[in-house]
């Protein structure tokens, strides 16, 4: 249950979580174990007689390092290289520690990524710096707002609005040229790429409830980004 919870919180797909839990249970002699994973919780039964156990998962993020570590523990358990106590101790330590990158590294990565996307989208080098600035400031705002307001869609819409505003200002003042490519490049770090991938993967594996839920989450994220940009282009752009 703890392994499944860590995987779900870290952005793993449903099939991987269920397979990992079932393999670990089988390795420890629970051959009749059943697991059922949803985006907001995990159900697990050790056998047909015991009661079903539930873990509620509210907050989810992307931490592929933890996914890789838990997979490694699962493989060691499957080949008999790790006992129950050792596995539980390691999993508790993984759940406790924070392996995600620091705030400044995330902002720096978002900035550089935005500039690189601009060149990939065949933008001009003169717009590289405006895209870097817009992407960095937008991602900074997203991180801060997401910490203060748990509704991430509001944080994404606000970040997209600021990105669009910076793009409009730079173009209006002659610091940028192609506003559309600056905006598209700067919002790319906000795009839920992993969420979309997992949604498609779950649907292909037959996990329709999880796939549709993750797809709806990705759709709302895209809608929030589009709303923020539309607000800038529809109102602020005309005023400036």
């Amino acid at each position: 249950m703890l392994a499944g919870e860590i995987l779900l919180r870290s952005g793993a797909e449903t099939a991987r979580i269920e397979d990992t839990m079932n393999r670990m249970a089988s390795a420890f002699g629970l051959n009749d174990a059943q697991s059922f994973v949803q985006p907001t919780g995990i159900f697990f039964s050790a056998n047909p007689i015991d009661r079903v156990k539930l873990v509620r998962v509210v907050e989810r993020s992307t931490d592929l390092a933890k996914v890789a570590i838990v997979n490694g523990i699962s493989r060691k358990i499957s080949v008999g290289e790790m006992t129950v106590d050792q596995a539980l101790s390691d999993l508790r330590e993984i759940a406790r520690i924070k392996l995600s990158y620091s705030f400044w590294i995330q902002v720096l990565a978002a900035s550089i990524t935005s500039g690189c996307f601009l060149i990939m989208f065949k933008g001009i080098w003169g717009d590289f710096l405006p895209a870097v600035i817009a992407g960095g400031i937008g991602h900074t705002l997203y991180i801060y707002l997401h910490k203060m307001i748990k509704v991430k869609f509001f944080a994404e819409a606000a970040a997209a609005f600021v990105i669009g505003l910076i793009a409009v200002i730079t173009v209006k003042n002659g610091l940028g040229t192609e506003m559309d490519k600056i905006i598209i490049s700067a919002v790319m770090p906000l795009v839920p790429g992993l969420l979309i991938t997992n949604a498609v993967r779950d649907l292909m594996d037959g996990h329709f409830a999880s796939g549709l839920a993750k797809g709806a989450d990705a759709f709302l994220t895209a809608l929030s980004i589009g709303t923020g940009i539309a607000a800038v282009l529809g109102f602020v752009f005309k005023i400036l």
Side-chain angles (χ1 to χ4, degrees):
M1 290 289 285
L2 181 56
E5 182 182 358
I6 295 172
L7 290 173
L8 185 57
R9 289 183 182 276
S10 302
E13 63 273 23
T14 303
R16 180 190 298 273
I17 300 172
E18 292 185 353
D19 182 66
T20 298
M21 294 178 66
N22 292 337
R23 286 177 182 273
M24 292 174 67
S26 178
F28 289 133
L30 302 176
N31 296 318
D32 295 328
Q34 297 288 334
S35 59
F36 181 69
V37 179
Q38 291 293 294
T40 56
I42 299 174
F43 298 88
F44 180 79
S45 173
N47 55 62
I49 301 175
D50 289 347
R51 293 180 178 180
V52 175
K53 296 177 176 59
L54 167 66
V55 170
R56 186 83 162 85
V57 177
V58 178
E59 295 185 0
R60 297 174 299 277
S61 62
T62 301
D63 195 337
L64 299 184
K66 287 190 175 183
V67 174
I69 294 174
V70 173
N71 283 340
I73 292 177
S74 174
R75 294 188 184 95
K76 290 181 180 179
I77 292 173
S78 298
V79 297
E81 296 180 358
M82 184 173 285
T83 64
V84 174
D85 294 333
Q86 291 173 336
L88 184 59
S89 176
D90 287 356
L91 288 172
R92 284 174 175 169
E93 179 66 17
I94 296 169
R96 184 185 64 83
I97 62 176
K98 185 177 181 180
L99 298 178
S100 59
Y101 292 105
S102 65
F103 168 76
W104 291 111
I105 292 180
Q106 292 182 47
V107 172
L108 179 62
S111 302
I112 297 175
T113 300
S114 300
C116 293
F117 270 117
L118 178 85
I119 303 303
M120 191 180 74
F121 294 147
K122 297 182 179 180
I124 62 175
W125 280 100
D127 291 336
F128 182 85
L129 186 59
V132 168
I133 295 174
I137 294 177
H139 201 73
T140 301
L141 182 64
Y142 167 72
I143 294 174
Y144 273 117
L145 287 179
H146 190 39
K147 289 181 179 179
M148 294 187 298
I149 304 173
K150 294 304 179 182
V151 182
K152 70 169 187 172
F153 305 113
F154 175 79
E156 290 161 347
F161 180 86
V162 171
I163 289 172
L165 186 61
I166 294 174
V168 170
I169 292 174
T170 54
V171 172
K172 287 288 186 179
N173 289 276
L175 301 176
T177 305
E178 298 176 311
M179 183 175 59
D180 56 340
K181 291 182 180 178
I182 295 175
I183 292 176
I184 294 172
S185 303
V187 300
M188 285 303 293
L190 301 176
V191 174
L194 180 63
L195 195 60
I196 296 173
T197 302
N198 285 348
V200 175
R201 174 69 184 275
D202 287 346
L203 289 173
M204 294 177 64
D205 287 333
H207 299 280
F208 298 112
S210 296
L212 292 175
K214 292 177 182 179
D217 192 354
F219 172 78
L220 289 175
T221 297
L223 183 63
S224 300
I225 296 172
T227 301
I229 298 300
V232 174
L233 299 180
F235 301 102
V236 180
F237 182 75
K238 295 180 180 179
I239 296 175
L240 296 178

